[in-house]
Amino acid sequence: GEKEMLRRLLIVVIAATAHALPSCVDCPEYVRASAADKQQVCWNRMVQSEYQGGYSNAWPGLSGKYALLTESMNEPFDRFSDEMPADRVKVIHTLGGVAKVKFVADGNTKYTGMLKGSDYGFARLSLAGPPGSGSPFFPGMAIKFLRDSTYSANVITMFKSDGQADNYNFFENQMKSWLSEGE
């Protein structure tokens, strides 16, 4: 009767006004989205792509390391996207842990942009190679702050280009976004 008709009308109204998230990341709809929506889209994709097969088997083998010679190392720094291209081989910092983050700046900050604060972001902590493999311990961190209607603000950091020897304390050394030659 009348109650059923009202219930169906309410469902139609809710469905018509429901907020649809962008279905892509490398597209204009995503760039125009709010930071909150972008975080939800990216997080949903990260959760769906959880590592399969265990941690120790996911590092690239010798053939993957040859990609260092063929893959541009500039792309992660120069690309305007919140998603890595599907055909790109991730040779270093292959595995990492990601967390949603919020940056709360001092209320009296004179800074603007991402240093003024951000409610929506991600931090990814990773190692350049497998720990205990005879290579130095090589921590790195990427921080991404999502912004409304524009591209994200990103920072990629590490301690030194040759790691920190056999020191396994991830946060022992101050990470930098710019390394001098030989660092």
Side-chain angles (χ1 to χ4, degrees):
E2 190 176 320
K3 279 187 173 182
E4 180 61 22
M5 188 171 75
L6 286 174
R7 187 183 72 77
R8 286 184 183 187
L9 179 62
L10 181 60
I11 290 171
V12 169
V13 169
I14 290 172
T17 59
H19 182 70
L21 294 173
S23 61
C24 56
V25 174
D26 284 335
C27 64
E29 302 88 66
Y30 176 85
V31 175
R32 287 191 301 265
S34 70
D37 285 354
K38 291 175 185 178
Q39 186 178 54
Q40 188 172 347
V41 167
C42 289
W43 188 254
N44 290 346
R45 287 176 177 238
M46 285 182 235
V47 169
Q48 290 172 2
S49 67
E50 185 177 338
Y51 298 129
Q52 303 298 318
Y55 176 77
S56 62
N57 296 328
W59 294 92
L62 187 57
S63 62
K65 291 182 181 176
Y66 284 120
L68 277 172
L69 304 174
T70 60
E71 293 283 328
S72 168
M73 292 298 120
N74 291 332
E75 187 171 13
F77 301 95
D78 297 341
R79 182 171 163 79
F80 285 91
S81 177
D82 291 333
E83 186 172 60
M84 188 173 89
D87 60 345
R88 180 169 173 81
V89 177
K90 190 162 185 67
V91 181
I92 60 172
H93 297 277
T94 308
L95 301 174
V98 180
K100 293 179 187 179
V101 296
K102 176 179 181 175
F103 176 55
V104 180
D106 181 298
N108 298 319
T109 187
K110 62 184 178 186
Y111 297 109
T112 62
M114 69 184 263
L115 296 178
K116 188 175 183 176
S118 177
D119 288 334
Y120 303 98
F122 297 106
R124 182 179 189 270
L125 282 64
S126 61
L127 299 175
S133 62
S135 300
F137 191 73
F138 202 130
M141 180 171 55
I143 302 170
K144 174 180 296 294
F145 290 114
L146 303 160
R147 302 184 289 184
D148 294 336
S149 304
T150 191
Y151 298 102
S152 61
N154 305 291
V155 177
I156 300 172
T157 67
M158 62 185 196
F159 167 55
K160 288 173 62 176
S161 60
D162 60 354
Q164 55 190 44
D166 60 353
N167 179 346
Y168 292 98
N169 182 340
F170 198 98
F171 297 105
E172 176 75 20
N173 297 293
Q174 181 177 350
M175 293 193 188
K176 307 171 193 173
S177 61
W178 183 265
L179 300 177
S180 304
E181 192 171 325
E183 264 192 305

